[in-house]
Amino acid sequence: MTATASWFHVSVKTMSRSAGRSVVAAAAYRLGTELHEQEVDQTHDYRRRSGVAVTFTCAPVDAPDWAHDPERLWNAANAAEKRKNSTLAREIELALPAAVSAEAREDIARAVAQELVTRYGVVVSGAIHTPSREGDQRNHHAHLLFTTRRMEADGLGAKTRVLDAKASGPAEVI
């Protein structure tokens, strides 16, 4: 689903195992880092990727320390899902206004990420990307990759179903 305003654009997508997606690789790419995927014993290295200005993690207050480690988090999220068609994560791609400072853009991205944590009890890996050299120089945006399961004090818990349901999902996105 997509919503737009004068400077605002947001899209919400799911990352599914049935589509052949790797949530660990997706996190590495968005964060511009190197993460090792335990299930397939493969390293995804995007440290040379340009355009990643800021990365951060937002998690519930009682989340275990490892929830702030992207490699451990996304391997755990992958392992928690057993079905071949499991939704592994959700992603919000959020346009950020070019007319404000980099600090203000980060504040906006972190506020949206924290709202996801508060509302759904999930963990969010966030990355703010700068415009590409060849593209529109106003294209500052954030990728907010978040778990499909609540993060409890002892690890990943129950699935968050409100965004899955046809009755509640679209209204939640809006």
Side-chain angles (χ1 to χ4, degrees):
M1 173 169 276
T2 302
T4 328
S6 60
W7 66 265
F8 181 80
H9 168 87
V10 64
S11 67
V12 180
K13 308 171 214 174
T14 58
M15 195 160 300
S16 173
R17 185 175 283 142
S18 65
R21 305 287 305 272
S22 162
V23 72
V24 178
Y29 181 77
R30 283 152 183 80
L31 299 172
T33 193
E34 176 183 8
L35 301 178
H36 184 78
E37 186 170 356
Q38 296 168 347
E39 184 178 35
V40 294
D41 192 25
Q42 181 178 3
T43 298
H44 307 284
D45 187 355
Y46 292 100
R47 291 176 295 177
R48 292 186 178 199
R49 186 173 191 276
S50 63
V52 180
V54 175
T55 64
F56 58 89
T57 300
C58 291
V61 176
D62 63 345
D65 289 343
W66 61 261
H68 294 272
D69 176 348
E71 185 170 274
R72 289 186 66 191
L73 171 67
W74 293 110
N75 274 292
N78 192 44
E81 304 304 332
K82 304 301 182 203
R83 296 172 45 168
K84 65 181 179 183
N85 65 345
S86 292
T87 299
L88 304 170
R90 287 189 179 80
E91 178 184 31
I92 292 179
E93 187 176 335
L94 174 68
L96 298 169
V100 302
S101 70
E103 182 179 86
R105 287 191 289 271
E106 182 176 348
D107 289 346
I108 292 167
R110 284 181 182 272
V112 173
Q114 188 56 53
E115 179 60 27
L116 294 170
V117 171
T118 301
R119 185 177 283 229
Y120 306 115
V122 298
V123 178
V124 180
S125 287
I128 297 175
H129 292 186
T130 58
S132 67
R133 282 177 238 146
E134 303 81 33
D136 186 335
Q137 292 305 296
R138 298 170 297 172
N139 187 23
H140 297 273
H141 59 282
H143 293 270
L144 305 175
L145 190 65
F146 60 104
T147 60
T148 59
R149 292 182 176 272
R150 297 181 60 80
M151 181 57 75
E152 310 292 344
D154 59 346
L156 291 166
K159 277 283 225 193
T160 56
R161 297 284 185 200
V162 68
L163 291 168
D164 296 332
K166 290 182 181 177
S168 60
E172 282 293 308
V173 170
I174 290 169

